[in-house]
Structures are given as C-alpha cells and as structure tokens.
Amino acid sequence: MANDCPSHKGNCDASPSRCEGPLSFYSRGGSAQAYKPHAPVKSDVCINSSTQQSMATWFLARSSRRRAPNLKVGLHLLECLSSEESQCCCAPRDKGDLEIEIWQTKPDGCYSSITPGREEGICRATLEDTSFTTLAPGSTGVLGGLGPSGWDFAPYGPPVIHMLFSEEQYEPLLVHLPIIFDSSLQPRSFGGPDW
C-alpha cells in the first residue's frame, strides 16, 4: 500500500469523543465466548430454517416472532494507518490473506455446540470472499446463548453476528455486528420504566 493517504485524508477524527458514542448496557455488542476455531469455508453462515426467531424486547423479556428473515451481508474492507497530518488514514483493501471467521446464534438464541466434532459449521463459517448470507440471529441472555438445553435468562440483548479478522502481520480484530429489528433495543439508559 502506498504511504500517502487517499483524497479524503484529514476528514477522519479518531478522538474518543467522536468515535465511541454514548455508552449503554449493550453498546459493545454480545459476547464472543462461543467462538470455535476451524469453521468450514462457505458463504452461507446459517442455512434456511423453519425455526422462529427469539428476539429480545427490551430488556427483561424475549419473545418468539415469525420465521427469522434471511440476511445478505457485504463487507467493505479498509486498511487504516496513522499519518502526521491526521490521526487516521484509511483506504479500501482487498481480502488477500485476511481470514474472516463468522459465528452467530441460531434464530432461537442458542449457539451451536462449542465441543469439537459436534454441530460443526452450524451458524459458523470461514469466508472465501467478503460477502455472506445468513438467517437473522436470536437474542442471548446472561448465559450468553450457551445454557443447557437452550435455557437462558434475562436481561436479553440485541442479537449479534460475530466476525474475527486475522492476518499474519496484524493483531486479530473482533467485531460484533448488532442486528436490531426492534427500535426498543436502540442503546439507551436503563431506568425505572424498564422494571
């Protein structure tokens, strides 16, 4: 990559006050404790299912809704470097040797087994390129979608798709993509009416 920045340099302010936004209970997305290495290479993370989607309805309840919608996701990769004129300098990049691992809950809010050899590739994938299809994930609670026999307890958060980006010369980057269909799950402060 060339050392000079693209034409939009100087427009990016990486100061915490501009990038982080308001903090809330779910502002950082869900947990990554359900990560399982060596997911199969494929472009569909969760296949079509008749399972209903369990979606949090802020923040102490979770209800089943109609069949989970199909999602088509495309990733636009950027490589960002620091420069003397600006705190950041980003330009588009190709996937190259970047490994992208995706995992999420099934529509019912449970992760597939994290035990090696069991439920391999169910709602998990290593991407060949930068796009994938999946079903909308379900919401997890305090057991993080890993409770026995699908048990989980409030509070529930918005469902997320987890993405782990790995490349030899860089530190791994974990990204949580919230999938919010209900406006009541937008980040906000917890207060008396929530009881």
Side-chain angles (χ1 to χ4, degrees):
M1 174 178 214
N3 287 335
D4 46 32
C5 293
S7 60
H8 62 273
K9 71 178 180 180
N11 293 336
C12 179
D13 181 357
S15 63
S17 61
R18 294 285 304 274
C19 293
E20 292 196 9
L23 294 177
S24 74
F25 192 79
Y26 294 116
S27 65
R28 300 292 179 233
S31 169
Q33 63 186 351
Y35 172 71
K36 182 178 182 180
H38 313 299
V41 175
K42 57 183 185 171
S43 61
D44 53 344
V45 179
C46 270
I47 58 173
N48 200 359
S49 167
S50 60
T51 305
Q52 288 187 323
Q53 184 183 25
S54 289
M55 178 74 76
T57 55
W58 189 267
F59 116 3
L60 297 175
R62 183 168 73 170
S63 64
S64 293
R65 300 197 176 184
R66 64 186 179 281
R67 194 170 152 183
N70 290 307
L71 303 175
K72 293 182 180 182
V73 181
L75 306 175
H76 298 279
L77 302 176
L78 298 175
E79 185 168 39
C80 298
L81 306 170
S82 61
S83 74
E84 292 181 15
E85 296 177 24
S86 173
Q87 292 185 3
C88 66
C89 174
C90 299
R93 66 158 286 173
D94 293 329
K95 182 177 178 290
D97 293 330
L98 181 68
E99 183 177 71
I100 306 172
E101 296 175 84
I102 308 284
W103 70 99
Q104 66 174 70
T105 61
K106 295 175 276 187
D108 64 3
C110 298
Y111 287 98
S112 60
S113 176
I114 57 175
T115 303
R118 294 187 60 203
E119 297 184 318
E120 295 293 336
I122 296 178
C123 295
R124 301 172 187 278
T126 300
L127 298 185
E128 283 185 298
D129 58 21
T130 57
S131 62
F132 63 94
T133 57
T134 190
L135 291 173
S139 293
T140 61
V142 295
L143 298 180
L146 295 170
S149 302
W151 284 84
D152 217 334
F153 303 99
Y156 297 99
V160 296
I161 296 174
H162 308 281
M163 296 178 275
L164 181 64
F165 298 85
S166 306
E167 194 169 23
E168 191 172 315
Q169 69 265 29
Y170 296 103
E171 292 292 323
L173 175 64
L174 178 63
V175 175
H176 307 289
L177 175 63
I179 306 297
I180 299 176
F181 293 106
D182 190 328
S183 62
S184 68
L185 286 174
Q186 294 293 341
R188 63 181 178 85
S189 297
F190 177 68
D194 294 308
W195 293 107

